[in-house]
Each structure stands twice: as C-alpha cells, then as structure tokens.
Amino acid sequence: ITVFEQENFQGRSHELSGPCSNLKETGMEKVASVLVHSGPWVGYEQTNCKGEQFVFEKGEYPRWDSWTNSRRSDCIGSLRPVKVDSQEHKIVLFENPNFTGKKIEIIDDDVPSFHAHGYQEKVSSVRVQSGTWVGYQYPGYRGFQYLFEKGEYKDSAEFGAQHPQIQSVRRIRDMQWHQRGAFHPAN
C-alpha cells in the first residue's frame, strides 16, 4: 500500500508492506490519497489501530471521500493488512451483547440492507465463523465501517462501535482466493 500526503497521488509518499501503528513516524503528516497494490488493508483514524476504521481493497483512493462517507474524519493515523483466511464466509449478528437476542445469519452473501431481510434490530455482538467481513452503520454500505475477522465480538465496543447499529455487511474477498481479486503473491 502507498499513502500520499496530497490528493490524487501527489506530494510525498510512503510505501508500506506491513503494519504501521503510527504513520507520523514515517514522516507523513497527513494522508490524502491511498493506492492499494495488493490487499486488503484497514486504516484507523488514530494511532495504534484505534478510532474510526476504513477498509481498503486493491484499487485507487484519490481523496478521503473515496474511502469513507461518514463525514466525521479525514485522518489516517495507522494501517495494517487484513487477514483473509478462507474463501467461505459465515457471520452471525446478534441483537444483544454476549450472543443473545434476535440474530441474523449470513452465509456467502453480501447484504446491502438488513431491513430487506426482515432484521430491524440493533447489532450488539457478532460471531464470525469464517471469512472476513465489513459491517456498515447504514444500509447501502454507508456510514461507519467495522472490520470483522474470524472470531467473537461480545459487545459493540469490541468492534469499535459507539452505538450498536449495523445495517449492511459485505465480504472481503482477497485475490488469493477469488480469481478476479487483488492479491498477488510476492515473487
């Protein structure tokens, strides 16, 4: 991944091949555009992988509004590669903390609107049984983004949400598993 100080891939740049807990330590005062050579990656608003999350897959992000529409922040303080461990995808989202209450189970599908599937409850806990997912605050893959890697998230604070609201999810499909994807092994 290459980050640039100015929009449209201009100005000083810095290339990363692994996690970076503090982009300012690389000499980058601001990140205004991002070029992902292979991915996926997750960027965080703050250092040490804290704050609002931004998921980057292979491609070009010429300005901050190409990687988020939350309108809350245009800062990236840290980045790390995302683990993609399976070509299969299964996620279960629960209304209440500790995997209780109503639930919606999603297998090998992207869901642009939970409401369209009859699920109108909040999401307070999540169990990812396989694959890697991005949850969104609003339908249509909008609002705050939450990265879900394989594992359990007992309450919304564990996945970085201030409010237990997720209304759409999609799978991250790395090229290692999906032929039209973006992953290219190093030579």
Side-chain angles (χ1 to χ4, degrees), residues 13-162:
S13 66
H14 186 79
E15 189 168 314
L16 299 167
S17 58
C20 180
S21 62
N22 187 346
L23 280 169
K24 288 193 181 206
E25 290 178 353
T26 68
M28 298 294 292
E29 288 302 312
K30 178 178 171 123
V31 173
S33 54
V34 176
L35 180 59
V36 181
H37 307 284
S38 65
W41 290 73
V42 60
Y44 296 87
E45 160 190 35
Q46 301 168 17
T47 60
N48 299 314
C49 300
K50 303 281 186 213
E52 187 174 351
Q53 302 170 32
F54 312 104
V55 176
F56 297 97
E57 294 175 271
K58 183 179 181 181
E60 298 180 353
Y61 302 85
R63 45 180 278 129
W64 72 273
D65 58 3
S66 63
W67 66 74
T68 183
N69 58 22
S70 73
R71 302 267 187 247
R72 187 174 140 220
S73 176
D74 64 352
C75 298
I76 298 177
S78 52
L79 284 159
R80 71 172 178 83
V82 172
K83 293 177 275 210
V84 177
D85 67 342
S86 172
Q87 64 187 62
E88 297 166 357
H89 292 80
K90 182 176 181 181
I91 188 171
V92 185
L93 303 105
F94 296 85
E95 173 186 19
N96 298 322
N98 297 312
F99 319 109
T100 61
K102 292 183 182 177
K103 68 181 181 179
I104 181 170
E105 183 174 294
I106 302 163
I107 301 172
D108 290 329
D109 199 10
D110 297 339
V111 179
S113 171
F114 288 172
H115 296 295
H117 289 267
Y119 187 85
Q120 299 183 25
E121 281 64 42
K122 62 187 178 186
V123 175
S124 297
S125 54
V126 176
R127 183 174 284 139
V128 179
Q129 295 176 330
S130 59
T132 306
W133 299 79
V134 184
Y136 294 84
Q137 180 181 17
Y138 300 122
Y141 314 117
R142 297 177 303 113
F144 292 122
Q145 302 173 30
Y146 308 106
L147 179 67
F148 295 106
E149 293 169 299
K150 187 175 180 178
E152 295 187 340
Y153 305 82
K154 290 187 267 185
D155 64 52
S156 55
E158 287 189 5
F159 55 83
Q162 293 180 356

